């Protein structure tokens, strides 16, 4: 019996048999190669199980293995949907035979992303070609208001209480995501989804320098790090940077009872002891939050805008793993240090909001101005005269009126060519890079933690596709000035796919720019050279001290501001120091205009007829984008532990050079340097003027809340509202001798509402006084209203017919130590 294959070939002559065999084999070989592939295997894993807050970066770890021939290519993730331009985040990879590599790709999903496809594309393949390998990972977008915690522990179930916490602040839900020391990101941007990170019971000595730097930067910019103690306290602290350590370990002991923790949570511990406890001496920058018989159980340290907490016990072990009050314990600690600002929407981060607003300063270029009317009007008049009366008179004189069908189009073409030439001369033939940068400083010479955002706009004299080169390993995202740069409808400009190749250097390919228009993107990085040293304290209602430029750049027009008060410090050369004396006594009794207008009002007034120059306009736009509205000095950007004035200056050069190979480029740059500087409180008398401590209003929504440069306030139609004032942690032991309630309004309130204050010993609300007035109101027996640095008050509005918002502040005087 012959096979079907023989039935086909055996009826052919010998030469035809050979040809048929060759054709058949040539058709089968590609199929075999395709089935086997080049030997590449790809296994992606999204950190935090794919959980990512809106507008934040999601780290995806990709394991690549090659069992075939050497290959070069890139790992990539394309973000986009139907009807929008795709943005591809990629990294170049070389895979020799037998190689195994781990690559961490940072991806910026949009708000509707639920799955992303990770691809390996070989060099030389077209962008729309089939990848050699691909795999999907799930993405879980998380509203920004949700408290997200990650735990790295050596075992135990005590940290499970971090899931589903019920906080009294606006954060009414929480999520616990997995993390390990090995997967801890090496970039702070990869940690920004987290609000809290707990490390306990593990040896941190193996942390890479990049991981340590990322951890420090993340805390400095507002993160909360919790370090566990217990039997493995020394191992847990081994690899933690010194700037993040709150204590110096001195030994260990076992406690039979934990009455101090029971008081914090309001829940008894029914688990039998003893409980292994580490002994630690708080460092000078730290403060004791919870202690028992002189033994610190919880120690806190403020680092920049963030907080580090050290627990003497291991929170993953007993009694936390079987204590009904574990959730209440965590809620009490985190309510104070991780509140969600009342003036931010639940699904938008401050970085998103300011990025969109600050991007408009990119378009503030002389080259983008419309031609002056002084030029357009004469040109149009000449055209009208030439194409009309003059053309008619000449043709009539020559008795050739029928030539008007020719002369009019010719004159129109000539004038069009002339207008184009004039426009090209005005606009220029150079490509213009406009770079608006912000450097968020950290005080006291914390180098390597200064967060940089550079908004880059490419203005093109002709329609072109550009490739942009950026030094260092930075993160680039598309920026759409017409809408939300991170939202699902962001087109990221027209043209072909935008390819962002992460690495050193980082390149942006496929940036398509129309003629005489601009396309833009944002770059995030760290400036290791930018730093400021400050030694500031309060004396009465005045902030005094020194500020030193610890960077390697000249800072121009430096200013120290608090509320509506500011002091000009002039130019500060590298290493130069300025004396500070800033009176802040009346800063919250007046509304005042935005900070951008305050700082430049003298120049604006001088040039009121012609308008402010472009450099002033640009600086005002940048300041308004960062410090006005909910992001302002009394808004979301300062709803973190610690208080202090705002430092502002302008650097001579941008922090990040941007190059366009093969093009002649003109550079325009504006660089803002800013940071909130801490106040020092030594032993002795302490005086906090009104306005330094921002109230935290206890409200589920924004219905009865309002905002102005004064800070958070209450709308005129509120019924009953409570709020709390939290003194800095280092003042929790302040012996208060004077307390004054400052009440102000932006109109409509001739007498304040009834105000009650919480008396801690009585456990009840007590009237703050029957004769309160708009202005300063001393409070009798102030010590009864302060416990652990917390002051609570409640306002009751009985009339609800006022016309404006009302604001509350406190002034405190006492003795520390």
């Amino acid at each position: 019996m012959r096979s079907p294959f023989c039935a086909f070939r055996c009826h052919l002559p010998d030469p035809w048999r050979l040809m048929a065999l060759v054709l058949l084999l040539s058709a089968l070989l590609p199929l075999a190669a395709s089935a086997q592939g080049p030997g590449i295997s790809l296994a992606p894993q999204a950190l935090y199980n794919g959980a990512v807050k809106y507008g934040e970066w999601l780290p995806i770890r990709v394991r690549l293995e090659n069992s075939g021939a050497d290959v070069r290519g890139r790992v990539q993730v394309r973000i986009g949907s139907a009807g929008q331009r795709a943005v591809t985040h990629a990294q170049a990879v070389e895979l020799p035979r037998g190689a195994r590599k781990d690559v961490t790709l940072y991806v910026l999903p949009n708000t509707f992303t639920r799955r992303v496809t990770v691809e390996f594309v070989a060099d030389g393949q077209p962008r729309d070609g089939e990848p050699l390998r691909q795999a999907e990972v799930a993405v879980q977008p998380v509203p920004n208001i949700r408290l997200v915690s990650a735990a790295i522990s050596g075992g135990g179930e005590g940290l499970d209480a971090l899931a589903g916490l019920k906080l009294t602040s606006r954060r009414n839900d929480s999520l616990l995501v997995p993390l390990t020391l090995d997967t801890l990101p090496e970039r702070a941007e990869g940690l920004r989804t987290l609000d809290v990170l707990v490390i306990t019971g593990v040896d941190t000595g193996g942390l890479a320098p990049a991981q340590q730097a990322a951890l420090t930067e993340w805390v400095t910019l507002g993160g909360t790090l919790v370090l566990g103690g217990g039997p493995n306290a020394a191992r847990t602290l081994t690899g933690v940077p010194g700037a993040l350590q709150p204590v110096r370990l001195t030994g260990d002991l076992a406690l039979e009872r934990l009455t101090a923790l029971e008081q914090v949570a309001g829940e008894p511990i029914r688990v039998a002891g003893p409980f292994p406890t580490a002994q630690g001496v708080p460092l000078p920058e730290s403060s004791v939050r919870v202690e028992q018989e002189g033994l610190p159980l919880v120690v806190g340290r403020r680092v920049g805008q963030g907080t580090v907490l050290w627990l003497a016990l291991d929170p993953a072990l007993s009694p936390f793993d079987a204590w009904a009050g574990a959730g209440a314990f965590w809620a009490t600690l985190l309510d104070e240090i991780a509140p969600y600002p009342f003036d931010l929407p639940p699904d938008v981060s401050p970085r998103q909001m300011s990025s969109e607003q600050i991007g408009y300063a990119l378009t503030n270029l002389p080259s983008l101005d419309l031609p002056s009317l002084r030029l357009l009007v004469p040109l149009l008049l000449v055209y009208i005269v030439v194409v009309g009366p003059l053309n008619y008179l000449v043709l009539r004189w020559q008795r050739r009126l029928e030539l008007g069908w020719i002369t009019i189009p010719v004159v129109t073409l000539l004038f069009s060519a002339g207008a184009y030439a004039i426009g090209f001369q005005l606009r220029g033939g150079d490509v213009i890079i406009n770079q608006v940068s912000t450097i968020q400083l950290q005080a006291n010479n914390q180098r390597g933690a200064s967060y940089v955002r550079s908004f880059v706009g490419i203005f093109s004299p002709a329609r072109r596709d550009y490739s942009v080169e950026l030094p260092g390993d930075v993160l680039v995202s598309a920026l759409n000035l017409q809408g939300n740069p991170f939202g699902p409808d962001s087109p990221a400009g027209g043209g072909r796919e935008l390819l962002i190749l992460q690495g050193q250097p980082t390149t942006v390919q496929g940036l398509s720019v129309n003629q005489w228009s601009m396309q833009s993107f944002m770059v995030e990085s760290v400036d290791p050279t930018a730093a400021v040293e400050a030694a500031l304290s309060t004396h009465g209602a005045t902030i005094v001290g020194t500020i030193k430029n610890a960077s390697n750049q000249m800072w121009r027009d430096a200013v120290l501001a608090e509320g509506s008060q500011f002091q000009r410090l002039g130019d500060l050369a590298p290493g130069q120091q300025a004396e500070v004396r800033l009176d802040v006594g009346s800063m919250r009794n007046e509304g005042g205009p935005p900070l951008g207008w305050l700082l430049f009002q003298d120049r604006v007034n001088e040039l009121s007829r012609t308008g402010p120059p472009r450099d002033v306009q640009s600086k005002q736009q940048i300041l308004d984008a960062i410090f006005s509205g909910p992001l302002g000095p009394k808004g979301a950007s300062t709803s973190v532990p610690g208080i202090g004035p705002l430092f502002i200056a302008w650097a001579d050069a941008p922090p990040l050079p941007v190059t366009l190979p093969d093009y002649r480029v003109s550079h325009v740059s504006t660089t803002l340097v800013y940071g909130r500087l801490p106040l020092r409180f030594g032993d002795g008398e302490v005086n906090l003027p009104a306005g330094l401590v921002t109230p935290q209003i206890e409200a589920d929504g924004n219905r009865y809340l309002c905002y102005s440069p004064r800070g958070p306030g209450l709308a005129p139609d509120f019924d009953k509202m409570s709020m709390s004032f939290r003194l800095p942690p280092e003042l929790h032991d302040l012996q208060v001798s004077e307390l004054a309630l400052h009440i102000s309004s932006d109109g409509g309130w001739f007498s304040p509402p009834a105000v009650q204050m919480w008396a801690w010993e009585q456990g009840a609300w007590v009237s703050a006084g029957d004769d309160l007035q708009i202005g300063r109101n001393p409070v009798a027996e102030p010590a009864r209203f302060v416990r652990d640095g917390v002051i609570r008050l409640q306002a009751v509005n009985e009339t609800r017919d006022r016309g404006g918002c009302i604001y509350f502040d406190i002034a405190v005087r006492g003795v520390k130590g």
Side-chain angles (χ1 to χ4, degrees):
M1 180 176 179
R2 293 183 298 178
S3 68
F5 178 70
C6 183
F8 165 74
R9 66 179 178 84
C10 292
H11 287 83
L12 297 175
D14 288 341
W16 292 103
R17 293 178 191 172
L18 181 60
M19 183 177 295
L21 183 61
V22 171
L23 291 174
L24 183 61
L25 289 176
S26 64
L28 291 176
L29 283 175
L31 295 178
S34 175
Q36 295 178 1
I40 300 294
S41 67
L42 178 148
Q45 177 190 10
L47 261 65
Y48 320 128
N49 282 344
V52 59
K53 287 192 174 181
Y54 297 160
E56 300 297 353
W57 294 93
L58 174 64
I60 299 179
R61 297 193 68 183
V62 184
R63 169 152 293 184
L64 295 164
E65 296 186 18
N66 181 17
S67 60
D70 298 353
V71 64
R72 293 183 179 182
R74 64 178 183 271
V75 179
Q76 65 181 31
V77 172
R78 181 182 288 106
I79 302 295
S81 58
Q84 91 178 94
R85 181 188 181 193
V87 177
T88 298
H89 303 278
Q91 277 196 38
V93 180
E94 290 189 17
L95 288 174
R97 177 188 290 272
R100 174 186 295 179
K101 288 189 177 181
D102 288 333
V103 176
T104 301
L105 192 63
Y106 289 85
V107 177
L108 195 63
N110 57 41
T111 54
F112 288 164
T113 302
R114 293 299 180 270
R115 302 190 73 83
V116 297
T117 302
V118 182
E119 304 172 338
F120 180 80
V121 179
D123 285 352
Q125 282 187 270
R127 290 191 182 177
D128 55 355
E130 287 294 324
L132 295 182
R133 282 290 180 269
Q134 63 182 21
E136 286 190 343
V137 293
V139 177
Q140 179 188 355
V142 177
N144 298 71
I145 196 172
R146 197 172 187 186
L147 183 78
V148 179
S149 304
I152 303 175
S153 73
E157 300 178 353
L159 296 175
D160 292 347
L162 288 169
L165 287 180
K166 300 301 180 183
L167 306 179
T168 60
S169 62
R170 288 185 65 202
R171 296 187 189 271
N172 54 9
D173 193 10
S174 61
L175 175 68
L176 179 64
V177 298
L179 192 63
T180 65
L181 286 179
D182 292 337
T183 59
L184 186 72
E186 295 186 348
R187 300 189 64 103
E189 294 88 346
L191 288 164
R192 281 203 303 245
T193 282
L194 303 180
D195 298 293
V196 180
L197 172 60
V198 182
I199 303 178
T200 183
V202 294
D203 187 356
T204 60
L207 287 177
Q211 291 176 307
Q212 295 176 328
L215 194 60
T216 301
E217 183 189 351
W218 172 73
V219 173
T220 303
L221 293 174
T224 298
L225 174 65
V226 180
L227 300 171
N232 295 305
R235 297 174 66 237
T236 299
L237 292 179
T238 298
V240 176
L244 301 182
Q245 296 197 14
V247 299
R248 176 176 54 84
L249 296 179
T250 58
D252 55 76
L253 65 133
L255 296 180
E256 295 294 335
R257 296 286 308 274
L258 296 172
T259 55
L261 297 189
E262 293 176 338
Q263 294 174 359
V264 171
E267 183 75 27
I269 297 176
R270 295 183 171 87
V271 182
F275 306 105
T277 307
Q279 290 179 293
V281 177
L283 297 176
E285 301 85 358
S286 306
S287 60
V288 178
R289 305 292 180 89
V290 180
E291 66 178 348
Q292 179 173 308
E293 299 177 358
L295 175 68
L297 295 184
V298 180
V299 177
R301 177 176 181 177
R302 196 175 69 217
V303 181
Q305 298 180 37
T307 302
V308 181
L309 293 177
W310 178 79
L311 275 60
L313 295 95
D314 188 334
L317 304 178
S318 181
F320 296 92
D321 56 355
W323 178 28
F329 170 79
W330 285 112
T332 301
L333 289 184
L334 300 180
D335 258 328
E336 176 182 353
I337 60 180
Y340 193 78
F342 82 93
D343 42 11
L344 279 183
D347 55 354
V348 179
S349 69
R351 189 179 68 93
Q352 282 180 272
M353 297 176 64
S354 63
S355 295
E356 182 177 350
Q357 296 176 48
I358 204 172
Y360 290 104
L362 288 175
T363 62
N364 198 355
L365 277 175
S367 298
L368 300 182
D369 272 347
L370 292 174
S372 171
L373 289 178
R374 296 180 181 179
L375 175 63
L376 285 178
V377 172
L379 184 63
L380 289 175
L381 290 176
V382 171
Y383 171 72
I384 292 171
V385 170
V386 172
V387 80
L390 184 60
N391 179 56
Y392 172 77
L393 291 175
V394 171
L395 293 179
R396 183 178 178 183
W397 173 54
Q398 294 292 328
R399 298 182 179 181
R400 300 292 301 273
L401 291 176
E402 68 278 4
L403 294 179
W405 294 99
I406 300 175
T407 57
I408 291 177
V410 170
V411 171
T412 302
L413 288 174
L414 290 175
F415 268 88
S416 298
Y420 180 87
I422 293 174
F424 189 82
Q425 182 66 28
L426 291 175
R427 301 278 187 170
D430 289 350
V431 178
I432 300 177
I433 297 179
N434 188 18
Q435 193 170 347
V436 175
S437 303
T438 63
I439 303 176
Q440 186 173 353
L441 294 171
Q442 301 304 327
N444 300 331
N445 207 20
Q446 292 178 9
R447 295 185 180 274
S450 294
Y451 174 53
V452 176
R453 287 184 300 170
S454 285
F455 302 84
V456 181
I458 310 295
F459 174 77
S460 177
R463 179 176 176 81
R464 294 173 183 155
D465 287 347
Y466 294 95
S467 291
V468 186
E469 193 168 289
L470 304 161
D473 187 9
V474 300
L475 292 182
V476 179
S477 55
L479 181 64
N480 175 25
L481 302 186
Q482 302 303 318
N484 184 352
F486 305 99
D489 56 349
S490 173
R496 59 193 179 93
E497 173 187 329
L498 190 68
L499 175 63
I500 301 171
L501 197 59
Q502 300 173 2
Q504 298 190 11
T506 300
T507 60
V508 180
Q509 301 176 12
L511 189 70
S512 181
V513 189
N514 292 326
Q515 184 178 31
W516 290 346
S517 63
M518 176 181 284
Q519 287 294 341
S520 54
F521 55 88
M522 183 175 70
V523 185
E524 298 175 74
S525 61
V526 173
D527 188 347
T529 65
V532 60
E533 295 179 1
L536 304 176
S537 60
T538 58
H539 283 245
T542 304
I543 296 177
V544 298
T546 60
I547 295 175
K548 179 181 178 181
N549 179 359
S551 76
N552 58 4
Q553 277 204 44
M554 172 69 77
W555 290 346
R556 306 284 183 184
D557 301 325
V559 172
L560 188 70
E562 182 59 68
S564 60
Q565 309 299 314
F566 62 90
Q567 177 185 350
R568 298 190 185 276
L569 306 176
D571 296 343
L572 294 178
Q576 185 176 350
Q577 183 171 282
E579 298 291 330
V580 171
R581 188 171 186 85
L582 178 62
D583 183 10
V584 295
S586 61
M587 61 186 172
R588 288 289 299 278
N589 293 329
E590 49 184 311
L595 183 62
W597 188 90
L598 282 173
L599 297 183
F600 295 101
Q601 59 179 317
D602 52 346
R603 296 190 64 184
V604 172
N605 292 336
E606 291 175 5
L607 302 168
S608 58
R609 293 184 178 179
T610 59
R614 281 193 168 272
D615 66 322
V616 172
Q617 289 182 3
S618 179
K619 290 179 179 179
Q620 284 183 316
Q621 288 175 334
I622 297 170
L623 292 175
D624 289 344
I626 297 180
F627 303 120
S628 294
L631 304 180
K634 292 299 176 184
S637 62
T638 57
S639 295
V640 292
I643 57 177
L646 186 67
F647 175 77
I648 295 173
W650 305 91
D652 281 346
L656 187 75
V658 180
T659 57
L660 297 181
D662 305 323
Y663 286 102
R664 187 178 62 182
V665 175
S666 297
H667 288 269
V668 180
S669 68
T670 307
T671 301
L672 170 67
V673 179
Y674 73 98
R676 187 162 289 278
L677 307 182
L679 293 173
R680 291 182 177 178
F681 303 100
D683 292 341
E685 185 176 352
V686 174
N687 189 344
L688 292 180
L692 282 182
V693 182
T694 303
Q696 179 183 334
I697 300 177
E698 300 169 9
D700 293 333
N702 295 340
R703 179 180 176 186
Y704 299 115
L705 305 180
C706 56
Y707 177 83
S708 81
R710 311 178 191 204
L714 303 181
D717 58 343
F718 81 93
D719 182 15
K720 180 188 290 186
M721 281 288 189
S722 299
M723 64 187 72
S724 58
F725 296 86
R726 298 182 184 273
L727 304 183
E730 54 267 37
L731 296 183
H732 282 191
D733 60 348
L734 184 69
Q735 302 299 312
V736 177
S737 57
E738 294 182 21
L739 175 63
L741 177 63
H742 288 248
I743 307 176
S744 61
S745 170
D746 50 19
W749 290 84
F750 302 104
S751 60
V755 177
Q756 300 173 329
M757 302 186 70
W758 183 257
W760 294 94
E761 290 292 336
Q762 296 176 240
W765 292 104
V766 176
S767 174
D770 297 329
D771 55 350
L772 297 180
Q773 59 184 357
I774 300 295
R776 183 178 184 275
N777 300 273
V779 177
E781 302 179 54
R784 57 180 172 155
F785 300 117
V786 184
R787 172 172 288 182
D788 296 330
V790 180
I791 302 169
R792 298 188 64 203
L793 65 84
Q794 179 177 263
V796 181
N797 185 12
E798 298 177 349
T799 59
R800 306 186 67 179
D801 59 354
R802 308 296 183 174
C805 298
I806 190 165
Y807 306 89
F808 298 88
D809 286 296
I810 59 167
V812 180
R813 184 189 297 270
V815 177
K816 181 179 182 298

